[in-house]
Amino acid sequence: MHKIFFFIGITVISLAMTGCGHNAIQYGDGVGFDVGINPENCALSMNLRYGKILSAVTRDNVEIEVTGKANADGTAGAESKTGVATDGNLKIKIGRQINGATVDLIEAGADPDKVVESLSGK
């Protein structure tokens, strides 16, 4: 039985370590709870948040624009007459992305237009 768990664990680790180079973008709004390890001092970190959070791990040629506003009265003991109002916008533009093999071809002297043409299948 322990061999099955070992095999599953090795498979999961192998898949995680051989991840592809796609863009990973995560947007959250509201209440969130994050648990992790602080790599600077190997301490457990816990974060309770309320609001917007954007995590983006992108390759080249990506534009991300986040706009937002929040209207809240954070004064201790004061009640806000307007409440809390949040408004925001998220725009993501992903252009053509190439891999290292394409860069190597162009650096070796291949015609960039022919390389892009063969990649797009036209």
Side-chain angles (χ1 to χ4, degrees):
M1 185 63 155
H2 71 292
K3 289 182 181 180
I4 293 173
F5 287 124
F6 179 74
F7 178 74
I8 291 172
I10 293 295
T11 303
V12 168
I13 290 171
S14 298
L15 290 174
M17 292 179 67
T18 59
C20 59
H22 293 291
N23 299 308
I25 301 171
Q26 178 208 4
Y27 175 76
D29 188 6
V31 177
F33 183 72
D34 302 319
V35 178
I37 295 177
N38 186 345
E40 290 182 7
N41 54 11
C42 296
L44 180 67
S45 64
M46 291 184 266
N47 182 22
L48 177 63
R49 64 161 175 81
Y50 179 77
K52 300 176 186 327
I53 187 167
L54 174 68
S55 300
V57 180
T58 61
R59 292 178 61 193
D60 56 347
N61 204 10
V62 176
E63 295 178 22
I64 299 176
E65 178 183 343
V66 180
T67 58
K69 65 178 183 177
N71 181 12
D73 186 1
T75 313
E79 294 182 18
S80 176
K81 295 178 182 174
T82 60
V84 176
T86 61
D87 188 18
N89 194 6
L90 172 64
K91 293 181 185 178
I92 302 170
K93 181 181 176 184
I94 301 174
R96 175 172 287 284
Q97 296 182 342
I98 58 175
N99 59 20
T102 307
V103 173
D104 291 343
L105 280 172
I106 293 172
E107 287 178 353
D111 183 17
D113 294 329
K114 289 185 179 182
V115 172
V116 171
E117 181 180 316
S118 67
L119 287 174
S120 61
K122 293 181 181 179

